[in-house]
Amino acid sequence: MNVAKVIVDVPSFAIDQTFDYEIPDRFTHVLTPGMRVIVPFGPRKIMGFVVEITDTSSFNKLKPIEEVLDLVPVLTKELLDLGKWLAHRTLSLSIVALQVMLPQVLKSKYKKEINRLSGEVLSDELEDLFQGRDVIPFEEFEASALNYQHLKKAVDAGEVQIDYIVKSKITKKFETFVYPKKEIHLLEEALHDLSQSARKQRAIIEFFIENPQEIKQKSLLQTIGTTTSTVKALIDKGLLDTYQKETYRNPYNDDAIERTDPLPLKPEQQQAIEPILASIENNEHEVILVHGVTGSGKTEIYLQAIQEVIKKGKEAIVLVPEISLTPQMVKRFKGRFGRNVAVMHSALSAGEKFDEWRKIQRKEVQVVVGARSAIFSPFENLGIIIIDEEHETSYKQEDQPRYHARDVAIKRGKDQNFPVVLGSATPTLESYARAAKGVYKLATLTKRTNDKPLPEVITVDMRRELHAGNRTMFSRLLMEKIRDCIAKGEQIVLLLNRRGYSTFIMCRDCGHVKECPHCDIALTYHKNSHLLKCHYCSYEEEVPNVCPECSSDLIRYFGTGTQRVEESLTQLIPEARVIRMDVDTTRRKGAHEKLLREFSEHKADILLGTQMIAKGLDFENVTLVGVLTADSMLHLPDFRSSEKTFQLLTQVSGRAGRHDLPGEVIVQTYTPDHYSIELASKYNFEDFYKKEMAMRRAFRYPPYYYLALITITHENHVQVVQATQQFVQQLLMKVDPETIILGPTPSPIPRIKDRYRYQCMIKYKHEPKLRTFIQEVTNNFKEQIQKHDLQIIVDMQPYQMM
């Protein structure tokens, strides 16, 4: 008996295991691990992944598999193994670890159909089934007497393919092609018979007499200047015919991107690329940290390393942290490798993502550029993974499975013997410490490729501005410089770490601050909609005219958001054209590209934005960068706040003076003597690293210690406190005496969406069985989790302490 071991799509720890199913004869030669199947599970039928095929089972009577959803596995053997590793490492469910690797389309409810790909004659049985049609519903195949072997042969030969239609929304794009149905002499006769008044019909016939081959209907209509009704009239006369051909959606107009050639490398770049090329050449796994100042030509190193990988017939994954970065990055990669590049990130529609994923799965491309989830691209012959801006926290997924893309990259690199390149002007302390110890190789770039100096950074003490009577959010120096730049026709980038209009509203009489009724956090004021919004649970309400506590009408706005800065700018400098870039203005698809394109075409003088504008953007006319509140991150309850501040300031400073014009940076702060601000203004990474490492050692934080964060949530306050206390007590009995467990304490935001949140932090140096211990303790709370809606969230590598 053939048996499939299946992980079923039921996200519950109680059934986090494989289940055995019998493979019916009709699927025997079709089914391979990595395919999705429909199986009976209790009274319902659900989807599952086949992870192994064997010929024995410890159970006597097995239920048969109902349906096979794929004829080509959606997960490779390597991704199945990676899923197992990921589930263990992040303490998440196997099904969740496998689902995270697939595009949304493959997780939905769908119908299937069989699509004829070519005009080639199929086997007699399949020809009978198609009966001259191009597409047939999959149900017709199932109802026929044909077996899956027939279909698989045709799929493997590229004659037909299986398509998924999601919730009746077609996930594939088709284009109509028109072709002449008659030979040229018959078309000439028809032209002779057509009346002179049918001008457009005559024009189309004349076109096909001169060009007797198929053409896209869209192109034909544009050439002749007519509509589909003219074509239809000629089809009805039996002179023309049409057929539909699948085309990929093209979110980045490939043909419009200019091709580029490799640039000659500077001596530092040459030195940095050598260990990467050696690793590619020898098929060895190395992690190489490229630590290069902003503008030092890291991208050119990536491009030339990938060129080598492609020459060897292998594939490459390039991760970038932000959607806002991708357009420029994609342009550079498509410019070099053309259509050999697929792009995967969250700003694409579900259909576009599916198309890009299928290009990878069908081996039609060798390079993927994308955000975090692109790390799971189903390549089978990887030669390199590059993580640009490796310090970015967006590489860490904040819900299950809580993986870090860097760890997944290194795991894939180890398993398949290829280099992983991490690049950054401000690497994480963990990565730099590993490079310093020789665990990673270090390559350093100290100069910009244009040999221009890094822009000068001036720190402005905002306390002095207040004393001098300046109550605006702009220092006098910054205002002067902005006016000066606009007068010269140069551009400015202003960074503010907040969105919305002002951070909170408060009553000046009694001090009451309006909070979210479901979360313990102040509501943020959004001026355009005149609403107070919670950025955690999406609750919103009208702004009150009087204080709900003391009925005073002295309600004032505190803090500064991007909307408010934009308003102030236009009041102070009416001639300034401002583009605001934050989560609110970039919600719509394509908004990022549109705003950045407008700025690069100089349709605005000032680009004002949140963190998303700090990295990777390259505009030749930007000569001034202003940071409005440099210390907004310093006061968060997060041991990485100094590091994040240093990184952000260094990154945003690198946006100025990247080309011929010299640049300048003005950093406004209330704590100018804080070491992260002081050292960032001097671009002094080495000293910052030493200072911060001393702090980390003293307080036992990474990279000296590992961390794990356990957050327990429940709607009942007393229950959550008791559960967290019990969890900590039980864990303490298992771990090493050297291991420190802090807590239980309320989370920094004690309540979100009406659920109370308590947490405990584990600090450890060597605790090889910690995952097993946490799992054992969690199992003791099974009943509370299943019956009383207690939630235990484990993060083995926390980046968010909130």
Side-chain angles (χ1 to χ4, degrees), residues 165 379 428 450 470 516 522 600 615 761:
I165 296 183
F379 279 143
T428 59
N450 59 8
N470 177 9
C516 172
S600 70
K615 299 163 287 276
M761 173 83 77

Side-chain angles (χ1 to χ4, degrees), residues 306-336:
I306 290 170
Q307 190 71 60
E308 286 307 305
V309 167
I310 290 174
K311 264 188 210 160
K312 288 187 78 177
K314 293 191 169 187
E315 300 140 345
I317 295 175
V318 183
L319 296 191
V320 288
E322 295 272 355
I323 302 165
S324 58
L325 262 184
T326 19
Q328 286 194 337
M329 208 50 158
V330 167
K331 201 170 167 190
R332 293 196 66 174
F333 278 85
K334 290 229 184 225
R336 195 65 56 89

